[in-house]
Amino acid sequence: GQQVMQIPQYQHVQEGEDFTTYCNSSTTLSNIQWYKQRPGGHPVFLIQLVKSGEVKKQKRLTFQFGEAKKNSSLHITATQTTDVGTYFCAGPGSSGDKLTFGTGTRLAVRP
Amino acid sequence: DGGITQSPKYLFRKEGQNVTLSCEQNLNHDAMYWYRQDPGQGLRLIYYSQIVNDFQKGDIAEGYSVSREKKESFPLTVTSAQKNPTAFYLCASSALAGGGQYFGAGTRLSVL
């Protein structure tokens, strides 16, 4: 079945440093979605990318969808303590009726 | 105030007992989902439904059951057959199957 892996599993950065998480799917995706889950909270939908090579920005967050539509990345510029949490990517399966979530990257930020 | 409401926030189950977790949405979404999350882990799909009176098993459906009698509601029953039910249960909905999902605040289930 479809597998979605993320690296790194965990990253600890100093506030102000940049952070990147990478997402790789075993199959081509029609779209890729990103979610953030704060400690003790629930996942919150951040964005959906659809086009090959698409890049979208949300303030300090930059999302990219690979040319082959099998990988994606999330880059945070100048991290803040409010960025703490686990970031998940997710993509639809071949039938398109459900999502497969990535393994997640947990971000910790030292003030 | 639109969104997804899960209740209760915390639930305790006695051995041999079935318990039901509630999930209600007023977003007019067709698709609804149930996930299980264990500490420090990702999301695993239990059941999902794309339309009223129809639902499909996810990756870990054994020991769980669902119903979808109304568009707004998708309750999950954790049966006594689920031997390791302690987890964080998350309900989600989306306007389209495979689209962006909106999550409830979750129910934390523990075994007494």
Side-chain angles (χ1 to χ4, degrees):
Chain A
Q2 180 189 40
Q3 290 187 316
V4 181
M5 303 297 292
Q6 287 182 250
I7 54 169
Q9 186 175 2
Y10 172 75
Q11 188 155 7
H12 199 169
V13 301
Q14 184 72 41
E15 189 173 20
E17 290 182 340
D18 291 357
F19 159 78
T20 304
T21 172
Y22 300 92
C23 173
N24 293 283
S25 170
S26 58
T27 60
T28 302
L29 301 170
S30 59
N31 72 75
I32 189 82
Q33 300 168 26
W34 285 92
Y35 295 79
K36 176 183 178 182
Q37 184 176 22
R38 294 180 186 273
H42 59 277
V44 174
F45 174 71
L46 295 177
I47 204 163
Q48 177 175 293
L49 304 173
V50 178
K51 299 178 183 176
S52 169
E54 188 171 13
V55 177
K56 286 188 176 181
K57 293 189 176 184
Q58 290 181 349
K59 297 183 180 178
R60 295 178 295 104
L61 277 62
T62 301
F63 304 84
Q64 186 167 6
F65 200 8
E67 294 291 339
K69 302 184 78 173
K70 293 183 71 175
N71 57 73
S72 181
S73 65
L74 159 59
H75 179 83
I76 302 178
T77 303
T79 55
Q80 300 175 357
T81 54
T82 53
D83 295 325
V84 164
T86 300
Y87 293 85
F88 293 99
C89 62
S94 55
S95 58
D97 58 351
K98 57 182 180 177
L99 293 179
T100 297
F101 279 80
T103 47
T105 295
R106 187 159 70 94
L107 172 64
V109 179
R110 288 189 299 271
Chain B
D1 187 20
I4 300 180
T5 302
Q6 288 188 243
S7 62
K9 190 172 182 178
Y10 299 96
L11 186 59
F12 297 91
R13 193 192 87 167
K14 295 180 181 178
E15 195 168 335
Q17 186 182 41
N18 293 350
V19 292
T20 297
L21 284 59
S22 171
C23 178
E24 303 277 333
Q25 56 100 357
N26 60 6
L27 300 168
N28 199 33
H29 285 173
D30 286 314
M32 296 187 75
Y33 312 83
W34 274 105
Y35 295 92
R36 170 179 172 143
Q37 187 175 39
D38 292 285
Q41 303 299 310
L43 303 172
R44 292 188 289 170
L45 183 64
I46 305 173
Y47 269 98
Y48 63 105
S49 168
Q50 298 182 67
I51 195 169
V52 174
N53 292 324
D54 188 40
F55 48 83
Q56 288 77 40
K57 293 182 179 180
D59 301 318
I60 56 166
E62 186 173 349
Y64 301 96
S65 66
V66 294
S67 62
R68 186 88 187 275
E69 297 177 1
K70 298 187 300 181
K71 186 175 184 178
E72 302 80 17
S73 179
F74 191 39
L76 173 74
T77 296
V78 183
T79 74
S80 57
Q82 173 50 248
K83 298 306 180 187
N84 184 23
T86 297
F88 187 38
Y89 290 87
L90 289 156
C91 178
S93 71
S94 64
L96 298 172
Q101 295 184 8
Y102 295 85
F103 285 79
T107 293
R108 296 189 185 276
L109 175 63
S110 301
V111 177
L112 289 175

